[in-house]
Amino acid sequence: AFSFDLFSMTQADWLEQNVERISKDDLTETPTTAKALEGQPNTKAVTIGAAKATGSDIAYKLSHLLALVVAGVIALLASAALADGRSVIKLKDTSNLPRLTALTATLDGETINLKDHGLDYRADELLGPQYGVGLHHDSSGYGWGKAGARETLQEYIDELGLLQVIAAVPSVIATDGLKHPAHFLECTELKKAGLSAMSLAIIAEVASAVMIIFHGLALVGLLPLSAKLAKGFAGLVWFTLTAGFLIVVCLAIGFF
């Protein structure tokens, strides 16, 4: 019969039966610091590499952020110039405006004094003291190819006669018929320059909107282009914006 009493065992007997003896030969040599680190990654090198990557990432994000701000400013300026009816030309103060209308004209082979027939106006009297011309339209809302009178001045003279047109000037002024003057007076070169500037402003608006999206995606890491394609695309669009700005400056110099 099994009558072993667990509690009658001494501590020495229990250890003898349950714990395996470990000889000195079974113990391995404690490794030195050099051996322990052998084969492990170089912590210092990894840390420096991470710091360099972080600095490069910050410069990358800052460049895109700056480009995003510049594109936003261009978009705001272009939209403001297109929306403002006085962004390109506006009348001077009335005290600095000369008489605008011609003094004489030839009618049926004779030279007549137009002032004697009632044609004697300044620009503010014909168009209004606050009149101006913008990139897209004038201050009355007429574009470069429209006039309130619908026909040009020369067409009215050919149809009605010079004296009849002079007599109708007050009523035409009252109905804004002389606006847009570039179309009404057939200022061909001015119209071409104005339409060119308007087209470039629209291109700048579209291009800057594209660059806002482009640099915004680059900042959040969602740009669906390789680095080489992204650089080429961005360079092309920014070159277009720069060239367009220089052309607008040349047109402005030509205006004045």
Side-chain angles (χ1 to χ4, degrees):
F2 182 75
S3 60
F4 178 72
D5 187 1
L6 177 63
F7 296 99
S8 65
M9 295 179 63
T10 64
Q11 183 177 6
D13 294 336
W14 187 90
L15 290 173
E16 181 69 25
Q17 294 180 15
N18 294 279
V19 177
E20 183 180 359
R21 291 181 178 276
I22 302 175
S23 64
K24 183 179 180 182
D25 295 336
D26 295 330
L27 296 175
T28 58
E29 181 183 356
T30 302
T32 63
T33 303
K35 289 185 178 181
L37 292 178
E38 186 178 357
Q40 299 297 320
N42 191 330
T43 306
K44 185 176 181 181
V46 171
T47 304
I48 294 174
K52 287 183 178 179
T54 302
S56 176
D57 187 58
I58 291 175
Y60 172 82
K61 289 185 178 296
L62 284 177
S63 64
H64 281 291
L65 180 61
L66 176 61
L68 182 64
V69 172
V70 174
V73 171
I74 293 174
L76 289 175
L77 291 177
S79 59
L82 288 168
D84 186 6
R86 304 178 67 215
S87 59
V88 177
I89 301 172
K90 60 182 179 180
L91 294 181
K92 297 179 180 180
D93 186 80
T94 55
S95 60
N96 298 321
L97 291 174
R99 310 310 294 184
L100 183 64
T101 50
L103 297 177
T104 61
T106 302
L107 180 63
D108 298 331
E110 297 182 2
T111 301
I112 61 172
N113 190 323
L114 296 178
K115 187 175 182 180
D116 294 340
H117 292 276
L119 189 66
D120 185 27
Y121 298 96
R122 295 193 309 266
D124 63 300
E125 296 171 338
L126 293 171
L127 302 170
Q130 300 301 319
Y131 182 76
V133 176
L135 280 177
H136 182 264
H137 56 271
D138 67 1
S139 55
S140 297
Y142 293 104
W144 291 95
K146 292 183 179 180
R150 299 194 180 187
E151 305 294 339
T152 65
L153 175 61
Q154 189 59 51
E155 289 173 336
Y156 279 117
I157 292 175
D158 294 340
E159 182 179 349
L160 302 175
L162 178 60
L163 298 181
Q164 288 76 9
V165 170
I166 293 174
V169 168
S171 62
V172 175
I173 293 174
T175 58
D176 284 344
L178 302 180
K179 307 168 186 177
H180 194 298
H183 177 72
F184 183 71
L185 299 176
E186 297 182 281
C187 302
T188 306
E189 297 302 321
L190 180 60
K191 283 178 63 176
K192 289 180 180 178
L195 290 171
S196 298
M198 181 186 72
S199 301
L200 290 171
I202 294 173
I203 292 173
E205 183 74 15
V206 174
S208 59
V210 170
M211 296 315 290
I212 289 173
I213 297 173
F214 175 86
H215 291 294
L217 290 175
L219 275 176
V220 298
L222 297 177
L223 196 63
L225 295 174
S226 65
K228 186 176 181 179
L229 285 177
K231 288 181 179 179
F233 175 77
L236 178 62
V237 177
W238 281 113
F239 173 78
T240 302
L241 286 170
T242 304
F245 174 76
L246 294 176
I247 293 173
V248 169
V249 171
C250 293
L251 289 174
I253 294 173
F255 270 144
F256 303 103

